[in-house]
Amino acid sequence: MQLSSIRRRATVLAAVSAAGVLGLAAPASAHVTVQPGQAEQGGYAAVSFRVPNENDTAGTTKLEVTLPEDKPLTSVRTRPLAGWTATIEKRPLATPITSHGRQITEAVSKVTWTANPGVRINPGQFEDFEVSMGQLPTDTDTLIFKALQSYDNGEVVRWIDLPNPDGSEPDKPAPTLKLVPASDTESGASPAPSGSAGADPAAGQVTVSAASEDTSDSTARTLGIAGLVVGVLGLAVGAFGIIRGSRRTAG
């Protein structure tokens, strides 16, 4: 076999292997999500709407989150975020709700964050928009929040798609919060899960926990990529050995 042919084959092999590593390392398409994605039924939760900027040439300047109308939330409070202005819209309830001895006649329908002049989420970055909300319903295991993400070039991305019947993810999934039954303690109280509050925010007893990230997927991905990189290096060394051996044979 000619030396030039061996070199070409070694080059192609290394290129294909490197492309495979880069393909696996590329991040999946990011969506607007609720972090953490789970809270206890019947309680109050502190969550963040995580908004990644998916546009390479424009910045995010507005986020609108619509709360589920069929599962009204009477208490929604935003955490101040530098450079952004939050506004809350409410709607009247057809049937008033009694909570902590008070009759509540309206629920929050929408929360909007608008960037101040000169502020935006730049390409390749994300922002967390934090809220405390409740009282979470006890008759459902899912809350769906439809969201609109606006860019400074006029583009609006509608994160409003409901889950597909077969369980697969739609193209523009709406942020979803999973609700789980409240856990019991010896005293009969329901402890607050990570990222949630166990008391009414209106009573000034909210205890907010830092949202924890699930690192198992990223760790496994990192280890897998590292193994592939080692494999590519091994292929490169093997190709170099083939070329070197061919040179000696040719000499």
Side-chain angles (χ1 to χ4, degrees), residues 8-18 232 235-236 239 242:
R8 283 197 299 271
R9 291 190 179 185
T11 301
V12 171
L13 180 59
V16 171
S17 300
V232 170
L235 289 171
I242 292 172

Side-chain angles (χ1 to χ4, degrees), residues 109-200:
S109 59
K110 185 178 182 181
V111 184
T112 301
W113 288 268
T114 305
N116 297 339
V119 176
R120 69 177 193 170
I121 306 174
N122 291 317
Q125 298 180 352
F126 73 91
E127 186 60 83
D128 284 340
F129 298 87
E130 299 179 69
V131 299
S132 173
M133 62 175 63
Q135 188 170 358
L136 300 177
T138 58
D139 58 350
T140 183
D141 59 4
T142 303
L143 284 182
I144 297 177
F145 304 88
K146 296 184 178 182
L148 302 183
Q149 179 181 8
S150 299
Y151 289 90
D152 54 12
N153 65 352
E155 178 187 1
V156 177
V157 181
R158 301 170 60 84
W159 301 101
I160 63 173
D161 293 346
L162 302 180
N164 292 322
D166 60 1
S168 62
E169 185 178 78
D171 184 46
K172 300 294 180 183
T176 301
L177 178 65
K178 181 180 179 181
L179 300 181
V180 298
S183 57
D184 295 328
T185 62
E186 294 181 358
S187 61
S190 297
S194 174
S196 70
D200 184 0

Side-chain angles (χ1 to χ4, degrees), residues 67-130:
L67 280 65
E69 186 173 346
D70 59 335
K71 304 296 179 183
L73 299 176
T74 57
S75 176
V76 176
R77 300 192 178 194
T78 61
R79 183 185 291 274
L81 179 62
W84 294 79
T85 299
T87 57
I88 292 178
E89 299 178 24
K90 297 182 179 181
R91 59 178 175 81
L93 292 173
T95 303
I97 297 175
T98 300
S99 176
H100 300 279
R102 296 181 295 120
Q103 189 176 60
I104 301 174
T105 59
E106 57 184 10
V108 177
S109 59
K110 185 178 182 181
V111 184
T112 301
W113 288 268
T114 305
N116 297 339
V119 176
R120 69 177 193 170
I121 306 174
N122 291 317
Q125 298 180 352
F126 73 91
E127 186 60 83
D128 284 340
F129 298 87
E130 299 179 69

Side-chain angles (χ1 to χ4, degrees), residues 5 22 60 85 90 121 131 146 166 173 175 210 212 228 233 240-241 245:
S5 177
L22 294 176
T60 298
T85 299
K90 297 182 179 181
I121 306 174
V131 299
K146 296 184 178 182
D166 60 1
S212 61
L228 288 171
L233 292 176
F240 177 77

Side-chain angles (χ1 to χ4, degrees), residues 30-44:
H31 306 319
V32 175
T33 58
V34 181
Q35 300 291 334
Q38 179 175 300
E40 287 188 353
Q41 295 173 337
Y44 289 80

